[in-house]
Amino acid sequence: MKLMTKNGLLLILVVGLAFAPLFLARSSEFAGADTQASDAISTLNADYEPWFKPFWKPPSGEVESFLFALQAAIGSGFVFYFLGYAKGKHSVSKKDQP
């Protein structure tokens, strides 16, 4: 199997794994740390008012979780790409030395 075909299949698999939970667990409720923190604050101080309001609220908690995971995946992709690039650059420069 060609490398391009293998990479394409892996990409399709990753996208499928990312979107499958959104379709399989449509009625699930995923509560994050933000919700738990706001509940804890409201029990400690009922008159507390947040300083800022969000520009856009996602339609559901699942979409919010997905966007957070996507942001984390993109960020880690950049970090590990540059780590791999630096290691490859270092090993090539080491190989060129006598």
Side-chain angles (χ1 to χ4, degrees):
M1 192 182 308
K2 286 185 171 182
L3 182 64
M4 194 70 156
T5 307
K6 234 187 247 190
N7 286 342
L9 289 174
L10 284 173
L11 181 65
I12 291 170
L13 179 68
V14 167
V15 169
L17 286 173
F19 283 101
L22 295 176
F23 294 111
L24 295 175
R26 287 183 186 216
S27 61
S28 298
E29 186 65 36
F30 300 103
D34 293 342
T35 306
Q36 293 173 356
S38 64
D39 291 343
I41 290 170
S42 65
T43 57
L44 293 173
N45 184 2
D47 298 330
Y48 175 77
E49 194 154 326
W51 295 356
F52 301 103
K53 296 198 188 271
F55 295 119
W56 174 72
K57 179 131 174 81
S60 68
E62 294 86 8
V63 174
E64 187 175 358
S65 296
F66 172 72
L67 290 174
F68 181 75
L70 182 64
Q71 176 185 356
I74 290 171
S76 65
F78 277 113
V79 167
F80 289 112
Y81 170 79
F82 284 111
L83 285 174
Y85 180 77
K87 180 172 177 14
K89 194 173 179 182
H90 178 70
S91 63
V92 166
S93 69
K94 210 175 204 182
K95 192 188 301 182
D96 289 341
Q97 292 176 355

